[in-house]
Amino acid sequence: MSCGCKTSGDSAHSCGTKSANGCESVNTCGNSYKLSVFDWLSNVQNPASNRCDFVEVRFKNDRKLFYKNVNNIPLHIGSVVTVESSPGHDVGVVSLTGELVKIQMKKKRASEENPLKIYRQANQKDIEVWQEARKKEENIKIEARKISHRIGLEMKITDVEYQGDSSKVTFYYTADNRVDFRMLIKEFAGAFRTKIDMKQIGFRQEAAKVGGIGSCGRELCCSTWLTDFRSVNTNVARYQQLSINPQKLAGQCGKLKCCLNYELDSYLDALSHFPSSSTMIDTEKGRAFCIKIDVFKKKMWFAYVDSSMAWYDFDVDLVKKMISQNKRGERTLPLEDLKQPEISVKTVDLIQENSVDRFEKKNRGSNKNRNQGQNQNRPNNNQNQGPRKPRPENNNERPERSDRAERPERQERQPRPEKTVKPTQNNNQRPQKPQQQRPPVEKGETVNAVNNDAEAKPQNQAPKKKFKKKFPPKKDNNA
């Protein structure tokens, strides 16, 4: 058994309830199919003693009827009930209870005289027969379309609905002209072996039954909340200054979109402060006519009758002054002189959507600031530094890092004085090459330096490999 969430015909939503009593949550069940209702008075206590006995019951897609609860059965939204029908009985789902039912009956002009009755809550057998009948609908729709095509009728079978007790089948069809379906009913009765009922619907009702997504990106209004379809003509598009483009203005039903009527009253209210679009203005250069109206900016575009290539826009107040001046018999200045220069308004792009490298700029700026901060901190630290501390004699004792940071900046290098050759006892150090002009030194020092150089050279230089000289073999005289 199901709570009725699968009664939309073309949806497979289910809230998980498996009882004929329906869902416990009266606010959520029913929102998964078309034209669902939210009972906003469910938590409000009714001060009146008498309670509304009528209940709104929905069937496949958008069909709803009002029934009277004569047996005072405790019902809530989502309860599966067996109701009166002709012939037999039908199975539906309660979609609304309480005081809101009276408002809906008044809105749809449903009479309370001779109402249909609710027999009982659907039992196991009623629901099984009802679900078996619902499984046949798709195959029957395909067969019915084949039969109508074979007969040659200009009609389209949109939907098929079985009654709860499988005693009647209702075929919904659309057609441009009147259709004689007497032969078709005989074919259907012989093929399906049940009572046949044919109902013609409009193209808007067809779109409501089929459903879909509109050009706005949302679900169709006719399949979610719209129940009354008002006529929409091309004057609605003209009032809103829209181009008469059937491809853009038409919905999935092939007619003009119902949403064109939503803002029509606001446009008519705004246009009441505008002069007529057929207004002509007499200027010193010639007559000018209105060629365009902008409702939001409250401007009107005019062009000369002789040369309509150049357009000039004026505020509505200025146009009214020009019209009153013409009524006094005076001609206005040319349109070129009356046009005021436009003040360019600088727009601030807060989101920075127009800049392609908006992410790179942030990174570059942060890197620059970081480098500038480092460069600024360096001279400040150096200025506070004192004189360099003398190095300790012992090389093993190294100064701490704080002492290193306090070193002053390096000054420019001064030219070093020429080094004098000193005797070195370290044999690992390479001696300098003797220069051509040596400074005069004492005799004892020269001898020691030469001896040290002689001793240091063979040790520092890599030893040369000695190759044995190959001699030819000696001749053996005895051989």
Side-chain angles (χ1 to χ4, degrees):
M1 286 185 282
S2 174
C3 68
C5 292
K6 295 184 179 180
T7 57
S8 61
D10 54 355
S11 64
H13 300 290
S14 177
C15 65
T17 306
K18 301 297 182 182
S19 64
N21 296 330
C23 296
E24 297 296 333
S25 178
V26 296
N27 296 329
T28 57
C29 183
N31 292 336
S32 60
Y33 46 81
K34 301 175 187 176
L35 295 177
S36 58
V37 179
F38 179 78
D39 190 1
W40 52 275
L41 291 177
S42 59
N43 298 327
V44 179
Q45 296 181 358
N46 187 9
S49 58
N50 56 345
R51 189 178 179 182
C52 181
D53 296 333
F54 284 88
V55 176
E56 185 186 63
V57 181
R58 65 169 299 127
F59 301 93
K60 186 179 179 180
N61 289 332
D62 57 345
R63 186 168 70 92
K64 292 183 179 181
L65 292 175
F66 298 98
Y67 293 88
K68 189 172 184 180
N69 189 5
V70 293
N71 298 324
N72 294 326
I73 305 171
L75 300 174
H76 53 78
I77 296 177
S79 299
V80 185
V81 292
T82 302
V83 297
E84 181 183 359
S85 182
S86 177
H89 66 271
D90 202 351
V91 179
V93 183
V94 176
S95 59
L96 191 62
T97 59
E99 297 298 321
L100 284 179
V101 180
K102 290 183 179 180
I103 299 174
Q104 293 292 331
M105 292 178 68
K106 185 178 180 180
K107 180 181 178 181
K108 297 180 180 179
R109 298 178 182 178
S111 62
E112 297 182 3
E113 298 178 358
N114 300 324
L116 299 174
K117 302 175 183 178
I118 295 178
Y119 290 148
R120 61 184 180 274
Q121 283 191 351
N123 52 29
Q124 180 70 25
K125 185 178 179 181
D126 295 336
I127 293 177
E128 288 179 357
V129 174
W130 174 48
Q131 290 180 348
E132 289 294 330
R134 293 289 301 276
K135 293 178 181 178
K136 303 177 184 177
E137 291 176 354
E138 192 66 27
N139 295 330
I140 288 177
K141 182 172 66 175
I142 297 172
E143 292 293 330
R145 287 178 177 177
K146 292 179 180 179
I147 294 172
S148 63
H149 181 70
R150 187 175 69 247
I151 296 175
L153 298 177
E154 295 181 358
M155 59 181 293
K156 178 186 176 182
I157 296 175
T158 303
D159 198 7
V160 177
E161 182 181 0
Y162 253 104
Q163 195 169 284
D165 57 354
S166 301
S167 61
K168 185 176 69 173
V169 183
T170 304
F171 293 89
Y172 297 94
Y173 71 95
T174 57
D176 295 328
N177 302 318
R178 186 177 179 275
V179 179
D180 186 9
F181 47 78
R182 289 178 292 181
M183 186 64 185
L184 183 66
I185 292 176
K186 293 180 181 180
E187 293 286 339
F188 284 173
F192 306 127
R193 300 291 181 180
T194 185
K195 186 178 179 180
I196 305 298
D197 189 10
M198 303 293 294
K199 284 189 177 181
Q200 185 175 2
I201 59 175
F203 293 98
R204 298 181 189 275
Q205 286 82 3
E206 179 188 8
K209 288 182 177 294
V210 175
I213 304 297
S215 59
C216 58
R218 302 187 63 179
E219 197 174 352
L220 297 180
C221 298
C222 54
S223 62
T224 51
W225 62 272
L226 191 62
T227 55
D228 53 339
F229 301 99
R230 293 186 295 171
S231 61
V232 185
N233 50 21
T234 55
N235 290 329
V236 176
R238 292 192 179 95
Y239 286 136
Q240 300 181 26
Q241 309 298 320
L242 298 175
S243 60
I244 310 300
N245 189 352
Q247 294 180 354
K248 292 184 177 180
L249 298 180
Q252 294 189 5
C253 57
K255 307 292 183 181
L256 292 177
K257 295 179 181 179
C258 298
C259 55
L260 293 174
N261 283 331
Y262 297 166
E263 299 178 356
L264 179 61
D265 297 336
S266 301
Y267 276 92
L268 292 175
D269 187 17
L271 288 173
S272 62
H273 304 287
F274 279 72
S276 176
S277 58
S278 59
T279 302
M280 301 289 288
I281 297 177
D282 293 331
T283 64
E284 296 177 355
K285 194 174 180 180
R287 301 195 70 185
F289 67 98
C290 179
I291 199 169
K292 182 184 175 183
I293 294 176
D294 194 334
V295 181
F296 299 103
K297 294 182 179 179
K298 295 183 179 180
K299 289 185 177 182
M300 299 179 70
W301 274 261
F302 284 87
Y304 290 109
V305 177
D306 299 334
S307 59
S308 60
M309 296 300 293
W311 295 7
Y312 303 94
D313 58 313
F314 304 101
D315 293 335
V316 178
D317 298 333
L318 181 58
V319 174
K320 289 181 180 179
K321 292 180 182 179
M322 295 163 66
I323 294 172
S324 61
Q325 190 175 356
N326 289 149
K327 287 182 179 179
R328 293 194 300 268
E330 301 176 1
R331 290 188 177 183
T332 62
L333 296 174
L335 300 180
E336 299 87 353
D337 300 338
L338 291 173
K339 181 173 173 55
Q340 298 178 355
E342 295 183 358
I343 301 173
S344 60
V345 180
K346 293 183 179 180
T347 59
V348 180
D349 190 6
L350 298 177
I351 310 178
Q352 296 182 358
E353 291 182 350
N354 298 330
S355 60
V356 180
D357 55 347
R358 57 184 182 273
F359 298 111
E360 298 179 1
K361 285 183 178 179
K362 294 180 181 178
N363 297 332
R364 291 174 184 172
S366 62
N367 293 334
K368 288 180 181 179
N369 295 333
R370 189 182 301 171
N371 296 332
Q372 289 177 1
Q374 292 177 358
N375 295 331
Q376 290 176 0
N377 293 331
R378 284 179 182 175
N380 293 334
N381 294 334
N382 294 333
Q383 290 176 3
N384 297 329
Q385 291 174 356
R388 184 181 293 180
K389 292 183 179 181
R391 293 184 180 181
E393 296 179 358
N394 191 359
N395 295 331
N396 297 329
E397 296 179 1
R398 295 183 179 179
E400 296 180 357
R401 292 187 178 180
S402 59
D403 297 334
R404 294 181 182 179
E406 294 177 356
R407 291 178 182 175
E409 257 186 20
R410 293 184 178 179
Q411 299 178 356
E412 295 182 358
R413 294 183 177 180
Q414 297 178 357
R416 294 181 180 179
E418 295 181 357
K419 292 184 179 180
T420 58
V421 179
K422 294 181 180 182
T424 56
Q425 297 178 357
N426 190 0
N427 296 329
N428 295 330
Q429 294 180 356
R430 175 180 274 181
Q432 294 182 355
K433 295 181 179 180
Q435 297 180 358
Q436 294 179 359
Q437 295 179 357
R438 291 185 179 182
V441 292
E442 295 179 0
K443 293 181 179 180
E445 292 181 355
T446 54
V447 174
N448 295 333
V450 171
N451 296 332
N452 292 334
D453 292 339
E455 293 176 357
K457 281 182 180 179
Q459 293 181 0
N460 291 333
Q461 291 180 357
K464 294 182 178 180
K465 293 183 179 181
K466 295 180 180 181
F467 296 97
K468 293 182 179 180
K469 189 175 181 180
K470 293 182 179 180
F471 297 97
K474 295 181 179 181
K475 292 183 179 180
D476 192 1
N477 296 324
N478 297 327

